[in-house]
Amino acid sequence: AGHHSGQKTSFEVMDPLVMEYKQKIMAVSEKAPERIKMQVQQRALVFAKGVVWCERNVLPGMAVAFEFLKLMFLKVQPYFNSQNMQDIIPAIFGLVLCFFGGYFPLVIAAIEAFRMAGFEGMKSSMQDIYRQVMTAFEAHQKDEAEDKDGDGTPDVQQISSQQLITRKAQLFLRSVDPAKMNASLNFLLTGLLAVLAALKMQFARAVAMAASLAEHFVQQANKYVRPHLLAMIQPEYQRWVPTMIDYGCKVFALTIAMMLQRIISAFFSATRGGRLFGIGIIRFANRMGYMKVNDESSQLDEIIGYVMLVVGLWFQFSSGFALEFPMNLILMPVSACEYMLGTAIVWF
C-alpha cells in the first residue's frame, strides 16, 4: 500500500500542468518578503495542485452553471415581460415577504435601501454590465472554436496556460466598451455603498439599544443576582463576579436587541408583503376575468393584505424564525446573502 501511495504522489508531482504552476508560484514568491517567500515555496506544490484542480473541476462547472442559468433566464424572460406576470410577480414577492421576511432582516433592509438609493438607475447599470459580459462571452465561445491552422484542434488547446490567460484577457479588452463598463460599475458601486451604509446604521441602532439595555440589566443584576453569586462562589474567585455579570448582561442585551430588530423586520416585511400580495392578486384576477373590482376604490386588496399580515406574522412567530425543510433548501441562496451581508457589516 505504501508503494502504491508513493507511485500516486510521484504521478501527481509529474503532472506537467502542476509543475508549470509550481514554477510560476515559485517565481512570484521571489519578490515577496523572506518570511512569506519561505512559507509559499514550502507549499508551492500544494497551491499548484489546488489551482489545477480548480481549473479542471471548478471552472468547467461554473461554465455549465452559467449556461444553465442563461438558458433558464431566456426561457422565463418572455413571461416576465407579459402583462399577467407584471401583476403576479409582485404578488408572489409579497407572499414571500409575509411568510419569510423576518428570517432575513438584512436582505429586506438591503432591498429597501436599494429601492431608496435609486433602483432604476442601478437596474440600468446591471443591464449594461450584463450586456457587456454577454458580448465578451459570445466572443469567448467563438474563440474557443477558432482553428486558424486548420488542423482540427482549436487553437486555445495548443497554447500554454500563460498564453491562454493573456489571450483571454486581450479578448475581453477588445470585446467590452470600457466607458460603459466603468460608468455602470461606478453607479453600481455607489448604490452598494449606500446599501452597506444603511445596513451599518441599522446594526448600529441595534448595538446602541443593546448597550442601553445592558446598562440597566447590570444595575439590576448587581442588586439582585450578585449577592447570590458571591454566596455560591469561593472567596478566591469572587473577584470575577462583576466581570461575569457585565459580559453576561451584554450578551443577553444584544440577543434581545437583535431579536427585537428581527421582530420589527418581520412586521415591516409582512405589512409591505401583504399589501403587495393584495394589490397584485386583485389586478391579476381582474385581468384574467375572474372578477371585476376597482383596486383603487375597493378595500378588498387591503382586507387581503391585513389577513396575510396576520397569517404571515403567526407563521414566523410560531416557527421561532427557524426555517424548516424544505424551505431551508429552497431559500438557501437567500440565507447565503443574509450571511454575506452580516459579514460585510462586521468587516467593512
Side-chain angles (χ1 to χ4, degrees):
H3 179 68
H4 178 74
S5 177
Q7 285 183 338
K8 183 178 179 181
T9 303
S10 175
F11 173 77
E12 290 176 349
V13 170
M14 293 305 294
D15 187 324
L17 191 57
V18 172
M19 296 303 295
E20 181 181 345
Y21 275 114
K22 180 184 176 184
Q23 292 174 359
K24 292 176 183 178
I25 292 171
M26 297 283 284
V28 171
S29 67
E30 292 292 336
K31 301 178 182 180
E34 190 63 30
R35 185 177 178 181
I36 298 177
K37 171 185 172 182
M38 182 176 64
Q39 296 292 330
V40 171
Q41 291 187 350
Q42 287 177 354
R43 297 169 175 80
L45 183 60
V46 177
F47 293 152
K49 289 180 180 179
V51 172
V52 171
W53 185 86
C54 290
E55 185 174 318
R56 291 174 175 171
N57 298 280
V58 177
L59 293 181
M62 291 176 63
V64 171
F66 180 80
E67 284 293 328
F68 174 76
L69 292 174
K70 177 186 173 184
L71 181 63
M72 294 300 295
F73 176 76
L74 292 176
K75 285 185 176 181
V76 302
Q77 190 176 22
Y79 298 101
F80 277 91
N81 292 334
S82 68
Q83 289 184 334
N84 289 340
M85 294 306 288
Q86 291 177 4
D87 297 327
I88 201 64
I89 287 178
I92 294 173
F93 180 67
L95 199 64
V96 173
L97 282 179
C98 280
F99 286 88
F100 303 104
Y103 297 94
F104 311 109
L106 294 180
V107 173
I108 299 301
I111 292 174
E112 287 301 311
F114 259 118
R115 191 173 65 87
M116 298 296 293
F119 173 72
E120 290 301 323
M122 282 185 280
K123 178 182 176 182
S124 176
S125 297
M126 287 187 285
Q127 289 174 340
D128 287 340
I129 293 173
Y130 172 78
R131 284 191 287 267
Q132 294 294 317
V133 170
M134 291 308 302
T135 300
F137 186 74
E138 290 171 2
H140 160 74
Q141 288 182 314
K142 292 179 182 178
D143 185 60
E144 287 291 304
E146 189 175 62
D147 181 21
K148 288 185 177 181
D149 53 13
D151 61 355
T153 304
D155 297 339
V156 294
Q157 298 180 13
Q158 301 178 8
I159 58 179
S160 66
S161 299
Q162 184 63 41
Q163 291 172 325
L164 181 62
I165 293 173
T166 303
R167 178 183 177 123
K168 293 301 180 182
Q170 292 173 346
L171 179 68
F172 178 80
L173 294 175
R174 292 195 304 268
S175 303
V176 303
D177 186 334
K180 287 185 178 180
M181 182 67 80
N182 183 58
S184 299
L185 288 174
N186 284 338
F187 199 96
L188 190 60
L189 180 60
T190 302
L192 291 174
L193 290 175
V195 169
L196 188 58
L199 293 178
K200 290 181 81 71
M201 287 181 62
Q202 180 177 344
F203 182 72
R205 285 196 297 268
V207 171
M209 183 191 303
S212 178
L213 289 173
E215 183 179 354
H216 174 72
F217 290 160
V218 168
Q219 292 177 356
Q220 298 302 313
N222 284 329
K223 184 176 180 181
Y224 296 105
V225 180
R226 184 172 181 176
H228 297 285
L229 290 177
L230 292 174
M232 295 168 52
I233 298 176
Q234 298 178 4
E236 59 267 28
Y237 301 118
Q238 289 181 355
R239 60 179 180 170
W240 285 97
V241 170
T243 303
M244 291 168 55
I245 291 176
D246 184 59
Y247 278 97
C249 289
K250 285 179 179 177
V251 171
F252 183 61
L254 184 59
T255 303
I256 291 178
M258 297 306 293
M259 180 56 67
L260 289 174
Q261 193 68 44
R262 187 178 292 274
I263 291 172
I264 293 171
S265 176
F267 183 80
F268 168 78
S269 59
T271 303
R272 182 170 174 77
R275 178 169 174 77
L276 285 174
F277 179 79
I279 294 175
I281 205 70
I282 291 297
R283 290 179 178 175
F284 177 76
N286 279 332
R287 196 182 300 276
M288 296 297 293
Y290 299 140
M291 62 172 63
K292 295 298 180 181
V293 176
N294 185 352
D295 61 277
E296 297 294 336
S297 58
S298 172
Q299 294 183 341
L300 181 59
D301 57 329
E302 296 181 2
I303 294 173
I304 294 175
Y306 288 132
V307 171
M308 297 308 299
L309 162 65
V310 174
V311 174
L313 286 177
W314 174 83
F315 175 82
Q316 294 181 73
F317 286 131
S318 62
S319 65
F321 296 104
L323 287 174
E324 298 180 358
F325 181 83
M327 296 310 301
N328 56 348
L329 295 179
I330 296 174
L331 296 175
M332 187 177 291
V334 188
S335 299
C337 290
E338 182 78 9
Y339 175 78
M340 288 187 290
L341 287 172
T343 303
I345 291 174
V346 174
W347 293 103
F348 299 100

